[in-house]
Amino acid sequence: MIRGIWTAQSIAWLIVAALLPALVVVLIEQGLQGAFRIAVSLGAIGFWQLVFAVVRGQPMSPAGSVAAVAVAVLAPGEISIGQLVLALTFGTVIGELIFGGWGRNVLSSAVVALAFLYFSFPETQHDPAGIRIVLASVPAAILLLVTGILSVRVLFSAIAALVAVTFLLGEDASVLLTQGSLAFGLVFLVGDPVTSASTNPGRWLYGGLSGALAGLFGWAGAGFGAPQTIVYAALLASIFAPLIDHGVIATMGYLRRPDHG
Amino acid sequence: MIQKRNAIKISNWRGLAVSQSGAPLQEIRPANTVQTVGMLGADYPGVRAELLVSSGDQVIAGMPLFCDRKRKDILFTSPVAGRLTDITIGAKRRFSSLTIEIEGNQRTQFAIPEKPDRDQAQRLLLESGLWPGFLARPFGRIPNPGSAPDAIFITAMDTRPQAALASVVLAGRAETFERAVAFLTALTDGPVFVCQAPGPRLVDEGAQVRCATFDGAHPAGLAGTHVNRLFPVRGKRQVWQINYQDVLALGHLLETGELVSERIISLAGPCVRQPRLIRVPAGVNLTGLTDGELSDGAKCVLSGSALDGRESRYLGRYHWQISVWPRRPAVQARNWLRSAKARAQPGPVIPTEALEHALGPRIPVMPLVRALSVGDAETAERLGCRELLEEDMALITHRTGGRQDFSAMLRLVLNSLEVSA
């Protein structure tokens, strides 16, 4: 039997490749300070992965670097190195490694780390990511869609729900096009294959839920200018993802019963 | 209307398809003459073989070699005439393998019933040794003599990587095929589905015979996909599947009264110098057959495809191709970090959307994979795993990197369901 090449590891490397345009934008916009922060983030993530690899025999995964870039893009405010390391440690260990590493986690480590930063240090202001991140997210989305890592169903239903909520609230949908935080979050946080729903009908529901939540938070809450919007939407939606899957499977089981043809 | 309903397109994620390198030339070309053929006990899980011959015996084609101890009507017959040179018995005194040295060309003559009823049809299949060509779903065992399925599926296509095209194998043998299909209708009151790739119809539809075309990449050609779309196994239903080359062998038997266990297989893969189709006896010795055919370097010769093949001395009973692949060298751990990596658990299965296309039947893939990997038979059954066989899971195993064998996990779950059924 011949082994295929699409292991968890190679999928993780493809996600890293998709991150590269966003990384370039971060380096252009934030310069040396941005590079330093990403290096520190990667060091913290790598350290904890190594600890779990040696102690628990868990495979290390390059997918952890999503958190490093996500924090750079979605939390660019004045946070100290100590705060950064603390947030990433919490995100990586509590969000991912204690569940068995990337692929077995319920919430994405990037989302957990970001939520930790926003909650613990609410005084820090984070500027919204701009149009360049939108442009960087497009090739990333294409790469992940073509390889089947990012679900068409999730992305499409999330965008559709977001636009629908926008129209329901009577707002202007064209504003959404320039929101870098939103684009990056949709592709890498909401679209994370591990933490989204894993059945096809579930993917539609999950995408719709996260899009609708992002719309609500954006127009009625913190505003699309704040990167918190998409992070909280992704956090809530992925908490509901297992429930959505469970409902889908129960419904399918009901429909499969012999007396239902 | 029926035509439209039975033309089915199976979508697949081509971006993650299996390597097609070393695809065969779809023409039947000469091959090495081989001296020996063999039969393997491993081909028949669930059969406890009782040997009817002993080492050194002369056998002729069509002569029974062993039978199932529990169902003695099920005979396994010799594909060739020759001398039995070697019988090996494995653990727990189970039959492991036998080898026949080919000598002469004698064949058993079988009496062919004119208008067979179900009993006569079954008897001919059992005596000639073609009965084990059937596999029943659920559970994938050779069906019980005396039982009748709710439907029969003839798999007249093969979408495995580097497989032979059914249209090439069937070229010029339409009558033989059609005759055998008509014969098979005696076995069931239900439909007999002929599942084929797009193209001219292989048989005319009749009261029982139905044609269905399946388009698309693997797993479009698997019987599991066909059964799921046309006649799902639910409740107490049982369906039997059979490969078209077994049907051809039956057709030849009906025409001549002789068993010709010849099959046309593809000899292909990146390590084969001239990938092509060849005509070989069933159970052919792979070492003799591939002698001088392969490129240099370490490689593994698989009976079967890259997805569901296994390394073996002989061509398996349910294999229709030989594929040869480079062998990956074993990696030596050079330092503590690498050895920690090597000890690490197999990586998780990432629930990408691409993985949904790796399973032909409409069953949610990730819930099934999760249920199988923890051996949760109850959930797996609720999801519909009774409909599946090992071959259906092979693409999932391949696509997820092959460290976890979901076919073997499915077999464990099916075994436990079979016991409680």
Side-chain angles (χ1 to χ4, degrees):
Chain A
M1 204 163 54
I2 302 301
R3 289 176 182 179
I5 55 167
W6 294 95
T7 59
Q9 210 70 355
S10 46
I11 292 173
W13 280 116
L14 270 173
I15 295 177
V16 171
L19 276 173
L20 292 178
L23 181 67
V24 170
V25 171
V26 168
L27 293 181
I28 291 171
E29 289 185 346
Q30 302 177 16
L32 267 182
Q33 202 206 349
F36 178 64
R37 279 178 43 167
I38 285 186
V40 170
S41 310
L42 287 175
I45 295 164
F47 171 77
W48 287 113
Q49 288 203 356
L50 188 62
V51 168
F52 275 77
V54 174
V55 177
R56 300 278 306 273
Q58 273 172 213
M60 295 174 74
S61 171
S65 52
V66 173
V69 179
V71 168
V73 172
L74 298 177
E78 292 293 318
I79 46 174
S80 70
I81 291 299
Q83 290 171 339
L84 183 68
V85 171
L86 192 62
L88 282 164
T89 298
F90 183 81
T92 306
V93 176
I94 304 295
E96 194 173 283
L97 291 175
I98 59 166
F99 292 100
W102 187 69
R104 300 193 168 94
N105 47 324
V106 182
L107 299 172
S108 127
S109 61
V111 169
V112 177
L114 283 164
F116 182 87
L117 267 181
Y118 298 151
F119 274 119
S120 308
F121 314 110
E123 69 284 358
T124 313
Q125 287 295 314
H126 297 293
D127 296 333
I131 185 82
R132 284 181 183 149
I133 288 289
V134 178
L135 295 178
S137 301
V138 171
I142 292 172
L143 172 68
L144 296 176
L145 282 173
V146 167
T147 48
I149 295 170
L150 175 60
S151 164
V152 178
R153 294 177 171 85
V154 167
L155 192 64
F156 181 80
S157 59
I159 293 173
L162 182 57
V163 172
V165 167
T166 304
F167 279 121
L168 280 178
L169 296 176
E171 304 283 354
D172 178 14
S174 65
V175 176
L176 303 174
L177 284 175
T178 55
Q179 300 301 331
S181 321
L182 196 63
F184 183 88
L186 277 179
V187 174
F188 289 102
L189 305 183
V190 172
D192 183 342
V194 176
T195 56
S196 40
S198 59
T199 52
N200 276 344
R203 288 189 174 106
W204 289 113
L205 294 172
Y206 165 85
L209 176 66
S210 46
L213 284 173
L216 278 178
F217 295 163
W219 294 119
F224 283 108
Q228 282 89 334
T229 298
I230 188 67
V231 173
Y232 290 154
L235 181 67
L236 268 177
S238 41
I239 287 173
F240 279 103
L243 184 67
I244 292 173
D245 275 338
H246 191 81
V248 167
I249 293 165
T251 314
M252 287 172 113
Y254 178 75
L255 295 177
R256 266 191 73 88
R257 286 193 329 193
D259 47 332
H260 282 265
Chain B
M1 184 64 197
I2 288 171
Q3 164 83 37
K4 199 174 177 195
R5 198 183 62 217
N6 286 351
I8 296 167
K9 169 106 179 111
I10 305 294
S11 64
N12 198 333
W13 210 283
R14 294 208 174 247
L16 296 185
V18 189
S19 160
Q20 285 287 348
S21 63
L25 176 72
Q26 295 288 349
E27 277 175 36
I28 303 164
R29 292 286 167 90
N32 291 347
T33 331
V34 283
Q35 307 301 322
T36 55
V37 301
M39 293 176 92
L40 298 168
D43 271 343
Y44 310 105
V47 169
R48 191 93 204 235
E50 184 173 308
L51 285 163
L52 305 172
V53 287
S54 50
S55 194
D57 285 3
Q58 288 287 342
V59 294
I60 61 174
M63 190 172 143
L65 299 176
F66 57 93
C67 67
D68 186 357
R69 190 171 296 177
K70 290 203 189 103
R71 302 175 290 179
K72 298 210 170 176
D73 289 338
I74 301 182
L75 299 177
F76 299 83
T77 54
S78 173
V80 293
R83 198 166 55 83
L84 255 152
T85 52
D86 190 25
I87 297 178
T88 54
I89 304 293
K92 295 186 183 169
R93 301 213 42 78
R94 271 172 189 268
F95 162 68
S96 166
S97 72
L98 60 80
T99 309
I100 304 167
E101 227 165 72
I102 302 175
E103 283 170 16
N105 202 17
Q106 278 176 290
R107 300 175 188 284
T108 315
Q109 273 289 335
F110 293 95
I112 307 300
E114 198 61 35
K115 279 214 176 297
D117 56 16
R118 184 163 302 165
D119 235 30
Q120 288 168 321
Q122 286 205 355
R123 208 171 315 132
L124 178 66
L125 287 164
L126 286 162
E127 279 170 6
S128 62
L130 286 172
W131 185 264
F134 286 115
L135 288 179
R137 289 180 191 244
F139 308 130
R141 304 297 189 200
I142 297 168
N144 287 329
S147 66
D150 296 293
I152 292 176
F153 277 80
I154 299 168
T155 314
M157 61 188 296
D158 197 343
T159 48
R160 293 179 178 93
Q162 291 118 3
L165 280 178
S167 54
V168 177
V169 178
L170 287 165
R173 304 182 70 184
E175 264 177 49
T176 315
F177 185 73
E178 204 147 353
R179 188 170 176 163
V181 173
F183 181 87
L184 290 179
T185 56
L187 295 174
T188 175
D189 297 325
V192 175
F193 291 100
V194 178
C195 303
Q196 60 168 93
R201 284 194 175 184
L202 296 176
V203 291
D204 291 329
E205 293 203 324
Q208 278 179 279
V209 180
R210 308 270 173 79
C211 246
T213 44
F214 284 81
D215 192 7
H218 197 66
L222 288 176
T225 310
H226 305 159
V227 172
N228 179 263
R229 301 298 159 103
L230 298 172
F231 201 88
V233 180
R234 285 178 197 166
K236 292 207 176 305
R237 265 186 190 175
Q238 193 185 56
V239 305
W240 296 357
Q241 65 183 64
I242 186 168
N243 187 282
Y244 68 99
Q245 295 215 27
D246 278 323
V247 177
L248 271 182
L250 172 64
H252 189 87
L253 176 73
L254 295 174
E255 280 173 353
T256 62
E258 287 177 349
L259 182 72
V260 176
S261 303
E262 240 179 21
R263 31 179 88 177
I264 291 161
I265 61 166
S266 107
L267 170 63
C271 295
V272 178
R273 287 213 178 107
Q274 287 178 309
R276 63 192 191 277
L277 306 190
I278 53 177
R279 196 185 297 272
V280 296
V284 63
N285 183 331
L286 300 188
T287 322
L289 189 70
T290 55
D291 192 26
E293 297 266 7
L294 309 179
S295 57
D296 299 330
K299 51 204 159 285
C300 46
V301 179
L302 298 183
S303 161
S305 72
L307 299 175
D308 52 7
R310 55 155 196 256
E311 281 193 82
S312 167
R313 267 164 75 198
Y314 305 111
L315 183 65
R317 173 67 181 79
Y318 305 101
H319 290 156
W320 313 96
Q321 65 187 98
I322 298 166
S323 51
V324 189
W325 295 79
R327 187 184 294 280
R328 285 190 200 170
V331 183
Q332 291 278 317
R334 264 173 289 172
N335 54 41
W336 63 273
L337 186 58
R338 271 172 184 261
S339 64
K341 238 181 107 179
R343 270 203 318 276
Q345 310 139 354
V349 176
I350 305 300
T352 59
E353 188 157 329
L355 199 60
E356 297 288 334
H357 298 263
L359 189 65
R362 289 201 191 101
I363 291 177
V365 174
M366 268 323 281
L368 179 71
V369 159
R370 287 183 183 136
L372 290 180
S373 51
V374 295
D376 181 354
E378 201 180 319
T379 306
E381 184 183 19
R382 209 169 56 233
L383 291 168
C385 81
R386 276 162 52 92
E387 201 162 85
L388 302 175
L389 293 186
E390 284 98 325
E391 58 182 24
D392 301 313
M393 298 301 291
L395 191 57
I396 296 180
T397 304
H398 176 84
R399 284 223 173 139
T400 53
R403 276 189 74 180
Q404 289 148 293
D405 186 352
F406 293 106
S407 300
M409 293 179 198
L410 175 73
R411 178 40 70 191
L412 287 179
V413 165
L414 285 180
N415 285 349
S416 71
L417 290 175
E418 195 179 8
V419 168
S420 60

